[in-house]
Amino acid sequence: SLFEANAASNLITESCDPDANIIFGASIREDLEDEIMITVQSNNIRRDMNSMSFVGMTICDDGIVAFGDSKGTIRDALGNSKEDTKRGNIQKVFKNNHYVLVTCNANTFFDESNFNINIENFMLDNINNYNNYFDFFEKLLCRISSNQLNFNNLYKFIIGSKDEFGYYVQHVDIINNQIIICKKFRDLQTYTMGNDYYTHLTYTFNFRLNQILLIQNEIKDKIENIIKDVDKFSSYNPVGLPVNVEIFQ
């Protein structure tokens, strides 16, 4: 009945962001008899689009410096970007004793029950359980592929680790229920992904790549200064403070 449809709509509205635009419709299905069926579809999924983050790693003689901003962005139905203030600062740099990783692009996924899971929560809950990052990504893929709503989402990562030949970084993508692992890079330089403006500026970074502790502070200071400069002239800066930095040795 219309009464039940209104009750369902009110329940959904109360569970959503106050700024959400709720549109609902109702139809009658005789085969359901005394049951009702409710379907909810969102077109404002939280995610860090490729241009909406800045993360990366710098390979040094004595280790790897991983870094990332902490701003989350959402887009509304009209495509306008705004900060995800409800979610707050988003962790994008994670580390255990065997590898370090950074992430950008889609930063949520739906589980098998259609609950929205923040990618950083999955990282924090699982990264210390897997010494091998291949196993870690298999676990993540299993969760992502359990719901077809995630099928076209692109999840991007950079992995940093060490083998018998020294330190390296590797790009990893998850999309269309597949894990795509790229070759290892070992050159002493900075590897980034995310917002083009920030990634282009990293080519101007000039670090002493044999002093990892100094580089850690230099990277943090440079990125923070760039963010503050962009804040002055941009109507919306998709990259935000604080900048998180981790050392892997």
Side-chain angles (χ1 to χ4, degrees), residues 25-37:
S27 62
I28 297 174
R29 284 183 50 179
E30 300 291 346
D31 58 306
L32 292 179
E33 298 181 350
D34 60 346
E35 297 180 354
I36 62 172
M37 179 183 295

Side-chain angles (χ1 to χ4, degrees), residues 46 48 86 90 107 131 143 148 163 177 186 226 242:
R46 293 186 181 96
D48 266 343
K86 184 176 181 180
I90 297 177
N107 64 13
N131 296 339
R143 294 295 306 278
Q148 284 298 108
D163 59 18
N177 295 342
R186 302 180 184 274
I226 295 171

Side-chain angles (χ1 to χ4, degrees), residues 52-68:
M52 298 296 174
S53 286
F54 179 60
V55 299
M57 295 188 188
T58 299
I59 301 180
C60 309
D61 284 332
D62 54 346
I64 297 173
V65 179
F67 55 86

Side-chain angles (χ1 to χ4, degrees), residues 8 22-23 26-27 38 47 53 60 74 79 88 92 100 113 125 129 134-135 137 147 159 190 201 203 207 228 230 247:
I22 309 297
I23 301 173
S27 62
I38 301 173
R47 64 183 65 187
S53 286
C60 309
I74 55 176
K92 303 174 186 178
V100 61
S113 301
D125 291 342
N129 298 331
F134 295 101
D135 296 334
F137 283 116
N147 193 315
I159 287 285
T190 299
L201 285 178
Y203 295 127
F207 300 127
K228 291 174 183 177
V230 175
I247 287 179

Side-chain angles (χ1 to χ4, degrees), residues 57-60 167-169 184-191 209:
M57 295 188 188
T58 299
I59 301 180
C60 309
Y167 294 102
Y168 66 87
V169 301
K184 296 177 180 178
F185 294 95
R186 302 180 184 274
D187 292 343
L188 301 183
Q189 65 181 58
T190 299
Y191 303 83
L209 297 177

Side-chain angles (χ1 to χ4, degrees), residues 9-207:
S9 176
N10 291 335
L11 179 62
I12 293 168
T13 300
E14 291 170 1
S15 303
C16 293
D17 189 284
D19 295 329
N21 181 25
I22 309 297
I23 301 173
F24 83 97
S27 62
I28 297 174
R29 284 183 50 179
E30 300 291 346
D31 58 306
L32 292 179
E33 298 181 350
D34 60 346
E35 297 180 354
I36 62 172
M37 179 183 295
I38 301 173
T39 301
V40 179
Q41 183 173 354
S42 170
N43 60 2
N44 191 16
I45 300 172
R46 293 186 181 96
R47 64 183 65 187
D48 266 343
M49 290 67 69
N50 189 47
S51 61
M52 298 296 174
S53 286
F54 179 60
V55 299
M57 295 188 188
T58 299
I59 301 180
C60 309
D61 284 332
D62 54 346
I64 297 173
V65 179
F67 55 86
D69 80 298
S70 57
K71 191 171 187 175
T73 295
I74 55 176
R75 282 181 175 161
D76 59 25
L78 299 177
N80 300 312
S81 298
K82 62 179 181 179
E83 184 174 0
D84 190 354
T85 55
K86 184 176 181 180
R87 191 165 170 187
N89 293 336
I90 297 177
Q91 184 172 342
K92 303 174 186 178
V93 184
F94 307 87
K95 184 181 76 168
N96 63 21
N97 293 329
H98 302 276
Y99 51 88
V100 61
L101 70 82
V102 296
T103 178
C104 77
N105 249 65
N107 64 13
T108 67
F109 62 88
F110 291 101
D111 66 9
E112 58 275 9
S113 301
N114 285 341
F115 287 109
N116 207 22
I117 307 298
N118 295 333
I119 196 80
E120 69 269 21
N121 293 342
F122 176 88
M123 299 292 181
L124 292 170
D125 291 342
N126 290 275
I127 192 168
N128 289 318
N129 298 331
Y130 296 92
N131 296 339
N132 186 318
Y133 58 81
F134 295 101
D135 296 334
F136 173 82
F137 283 116
E138 286 287 351
K139 173 67 174 181
L140 177 57
L141 176 64
C142 182
R143 294 295 306 278
I144 291 174
S145 60
S146 68
N147 193 315
Q148 284 298 108
L149 291 173
N150 306 316
F151 187 74
N152 291 319
N153 289 347
L154 174 60
Y155 303 84
K156 297 179 70 70
F157 308 87
I158 301 177
I159 287 285
S161 191
K162 184 180 182 181
D163 59 18
E164 64 271 24
F165 302 107
Y167 294 102
Y168 66 87
V169 301
Q170 225 172 351
H171 288 264
V172 179
D173 293 348
I174 296 180
I175 189 171
N176 298 341
N177 295 342
Q178 298 181 72
I179 301 174
I180 303 170
I181 299 178
C182 301
K183 70 176 184 178
K184 296 177 180 178
F185 294 95
R186 302 180 184 274
D187 292 343
L188 301 183
Q189 65 181 58
T190 299
Y191 303 83
T192 62
M193 61 183 180
N195 185 271
D196 288 342
Y197 180 80
Y198 287 85
T199 56
H200 288 160
L201 285 178
T202 59
Y203 295 127
T204 66
F205 289 1
N206 185 20
F207 300 127

Side-chain angles (χ1 to χ4, degrees), residues 213-224:
L213 293 179
L214 291 177
I215 293 171
Q216 177 187 21
N217 295 325
E218 287 184 30
I219 288 177
K220 186 178 178 69
D221 290 343
K222 282 182 177 291
I223 298 174
E224 287 179 347

